[in-house]
Amino acid sequence: MEIIVYTMVGCSSCNIIKELFQRADVNYTEYVLNKDISLSELKEKYPHVNFFPFVVIDNEEVGGLIETAKLFLEKGLVSSKRK
């Protein structure tokens, strides 16, 4: 599974999604806005993106934190049970 996450500095949801990836023990590539990619470059690839984090898995747009968490739950990569 190839996971790409677009984040930005100071984004609390971006930090949470990185924790989700760690919990699921998956590798991902992170691109930070205005460091690794400009907004215009990102909009060229994904014209309708207007939130962060923005996740792409296997070249398919997943969405943000909530959509990614739901997908990981469906695939059994994480659990909603509390420890």
Side-chain angles (χ1 to χ4, degrees):
M1 179 167 34
E2 179 187 32
I3 301 172
I4 298 172
V5 60
Y6 297 93
T7 66
M8 60 186 282
V9 174
C11 168
S12 59
S13 293
C14 298
N15 293 331
I16 293 169
I17 205 157
K18 288 187 269 186
E19 289 176 23
L20 175 71
F21 293 154
Q22 288 175 341
R23 180 178 277 175
D25 195 28
V26 296
N27 294 320
Y28 64 96
T29 302
E30 177 183 18
Y31 293 97
V32 179
L33 185 67
N34 296 327
K35 178 183 175 196
D36 304 311
I37 191 167
S38 70
L39 183 58
S40 60
E41 290 171 315
L42 184 57
K43 288 280 191 179
E44 189 174 306
K45 285 183 161 188
Y46 306 103
H48 61 279
V49 69
N50 58 3
F51 54 85
F52 292 92
F54 184 72
V55 179
V56 178
I57 299 177
D58 294 333
N59 294 317
E60 290 192 35
E61 297 175 33
V62 174
L65 173 59
I66 293 171
E67 295 84 6
T68 304
K70 285 181 182 178
L71 179 67
F72 277 34
L73 280 168
E74 289 171 9
K75 290 185 176 255
L77 296 170
V78 294
S79 169
S80 63
K81 295 179 184 176
R82 295 183 184 251
K83 292 182 178 182

